[in-house]
Amino acid sequence: MVWGFLCALLSAVAYGVASVMQAVAAKAAPDKGGAGVDPRLLLRVLKQWKFVVGLVLDGLGFVAQIAALHVLPLFLVQATQAASLAVTAVAVRVFGVRLGAREWTAVGVVVAGLALLGSSAESEGSSEVGLGFRLALAGAAVVLGIAGLLVGRAGDRIRTAGLGLVAGLSFGLVAVAGRVIPSLAPLDLLRDPALYVVAVAGALAMLFFATALQRGGVTTATAMMVLGETVMPSLIGVLLLGDRTRPGFAVVALIGFVLAVAAALALARFGEPEPAVVSAGGQPPEAEPAGRDARR
């Protein structure tokens, strides 16, 4: 139980730092314009070394997340992933962004929410599900792919929120598929359809979220992503995979989940940190007071 929680925290740290690297790379990649989602965006950002470093950290975070999913409920692990925004918020200080009282309070609330969740969660094993469930996950990946392509052609007001939500649901699908993988032995993995769901849903999530960040507002895209990656898999874990809390701790778990996710939403503007522009004198300009939207 304890080592599983530590794995979840390690995953959040890795994802949080990775998002800093990848967001800077996504903004630096040229936008070819045009309507809809451009799969070649992933090829362009892969030319940015910061994005590649972010992918390495994502890989580390994913391994830690899978390890945590095999011993912890989905609602705890996914709330921890959303809390990676707290890590991102602290990490962007290297870019000259100051955190105000509201941001530091949100970081503290994230920690408190995770502490409540950690104290209330019951240790979980890997749930046994049949082939039908795995095929349903594959079908969900196809549906999300189609939905993302359609939303990518919508107007600006719908596109950013829609792509963020589809990206979040895809990340959530990765978590659910990772949870039902019973064995990490290479031969068992290659025969398990859930592995391919992880790969496809993960690629879709990165593509749709990168598109949302490049062409839309960070706060909207990140907030919708957080909702998608936490609520859906948490409900599936409770309703279908047998996740539960310690006896008498259901209310504590609910409060912890709401606090962690709500505080993560309050930090949503840090989902796409932008480096401070260095002035002619070689010094970064004074950062804006925290709480203002960094975009203009």
Side-chain angles (χ1 to χ4, degrees):
M1 177 76 175
V2 174
W3 77 267
F5 191 57
L6 291 176
C7 284
L9 291 177
L10 173 61
S11 176
V13 171
Y15 284 145
V17 177
S19 69
V20 176
M21 310 294 289
Q22 292 169 341
V24 173
K27 277 299 179 185
D31 186 355
K32 300 300 184 180
V37 176
D38 183 7
R40 292 172 297 180
L41 173 61
L42 289 180
L43 296 178
R44 294 196 292 272
V45 294
L46 282 172
K47 296 179 181 179
Q48 306 284 334
W49 69 267
K50 291 180 180 178
F51 192 87
V52 175
V53 172
L55 284 181
V56 173
L57 290 172
D58 277 338
L60 173 62
F62 177 71
V63 172
Q65 180 185 6
I66 294 298
L69 284 168
H70 278 248
V71 294
L72 296 176
L74 272 161
F75 62 78
L76 172 55
V77 178
Q78 291 311 105
T80 306
Q81 305 316 302
S84 65
L85 282 174
V87 178
T88 301
V90 175
V92 296
R93 286 176 60 87
V94 301
F95 293 133
V97 178
R98 290 203 308 265
L99 302 186
R102 186 175 67 178
E103 280 78 12
W104 283 118
T105 300
V107 171
V109 172
V110 165
V111 174
L114 292 180
L116 291 176
L117 278 170
S119 66
S120 63
E122 185 85 352
S123 181
E124 299 289 335
S126 299
S127 300
E128 292 291 336
V129 296
L131 179 61
F133 188 89
R134 287 170 163 78
L135 293 179
L137 293 180
V142 174
V143 170
L144 288 174
I146 295 173
L149 293 175
L150 293 177
V151 171
R153 292 184 172 275
D156 291 343
R157 295 178 61 183
I158 298 176
R159 182 175 59 200
T160 299
L163 284 175
L165 178 60
V166 174
L169 292 173
S170 299
F171 281 127
L173 190 60
V174 169
V176 174
R179 166 68 182 276
V180 303
I181 294 176
S183 171
L184 298 181
L187 291 180
D188 293 336
L189 280 174
L190 291 175
R191 291 194 296 262
D192 195 334
L195 173 67
Y196 304 100
V197 173
V198 167
V200 172
L204 290 174
M206 287 192 295
L207 173 61
F208 295 146
F209 192 53
T211 303
L213 288 181
Q214 190 176 61
R215 299 180 181 176
V218 54
T219 303
T220 299
T222 305
M224 296 304 292
M225 185 269 293
V226 167
L227 290 175
E229 75 171 347
T230 54
V231 176
M232 183 273 291
S234 298
L235 289 175
I236 290 177
V238 171
L239 298 177
L240 301 177
L241 299 180
D243 286 352
R244 60 189 183 277
T245 64
R246 292 167 55 194
F249 277 77
V251 174
V252 175
L254 179 60
I255 293 174
F257 183 84
V258 171
L259 286 177
V261 174
L265 292 175
L267 295 169
R269 77 183 185 93
F270 293 103
E272 181 215 25
E274 294 189 26
V277 178
V278 178
S279 66
Q283 299 295 326
E286 182 178 356
E288 290 183 319
R292 295 183 186 176
D293 192 343
R295 299 180 63 87
R296 287 291 181 263

